[in-house]
Amino acid sequence: MSIDAADRAAVAHFIRVCGAGVVATIGPDAAPQAAYVGITADDSGVVVFDAMMDSRKVGNIRERPAVAIAVTGADTTVQLEGRARITRDEERWRLGEAYSERFPGSRALDIGFALIAVDVAWVRVYDAGAHPPHATEASWA
């Protein structure tokens, strides 16, 4: 059964099951920079990953919060675009606990690490396992 791109809970479930993806940020010279990261999502579709505070992606997000994410599992690929932010205070702890449940032993809440939340604005789901292959897109803004 295909995932509908408009179904936030289904997309979030797919991301949680896959557990990893590629996040692309915009570097200081406007060039794309991609990184493979552990990734999860809450049921509302907010995507969460961690990174060292001094990493390129954290610096890029501080200055240019637009990101693109690709998550692939078996025959299905989910592409997402949105705005990333470094979480703080209560949100950091709430999302950090959920992240740590998905990734036991994670250092996401340690000093020196940032927990990044992405508010998704656009999603595309491509199911190559369907016959014929099927794609859906949705704006979440």
Side-chain angles (χ1 to χ4, degrees), residues 15-109:
I15 292 168
R16 284 193 299 270
V17 168
C18 291
V22 175
V23 174
T25 59
I26 303 166
D29 59 355
Q33 296 178 356
Y36 185 74
V37 297
I39 198 166
T40 192
D42 69 11
D43 282 337
S44 70
V46 173
V47 176
V48 181
F49 62 94
D50 71 341
M52 294 184 67
M53 286 294 265
D54 61 355
S55 68
R56 293 188 324 166
K57 63 187 142 303
V58 170
N60 292 346
I61 287 165
R62 279 193 181 112
E63 298 298 318
R64 293 158 300 281
V67 297
I69 301 168
V71 179
T72 301
D75 294 327
T76 302
T77 299
V78 173
Q79 297 167 246
L80 309 107
E81 294 177 0
R83 295 187 68 76
R85 66 181 181 286
I86 300 166
T87 61
R88 304 205 187 294
D89 304 324
E90 186 277 329
E91 181 185 43
R92 175 179 164 79
W93 289 105
R94 180 177 51 81
L95 292 176
E97 287 177 0
Y99 188 87
S100 294
E101 283 179 26
R102 174 60 179 90
F103 300 104
S106 163
R107 296 174 52 196
L109 293 174

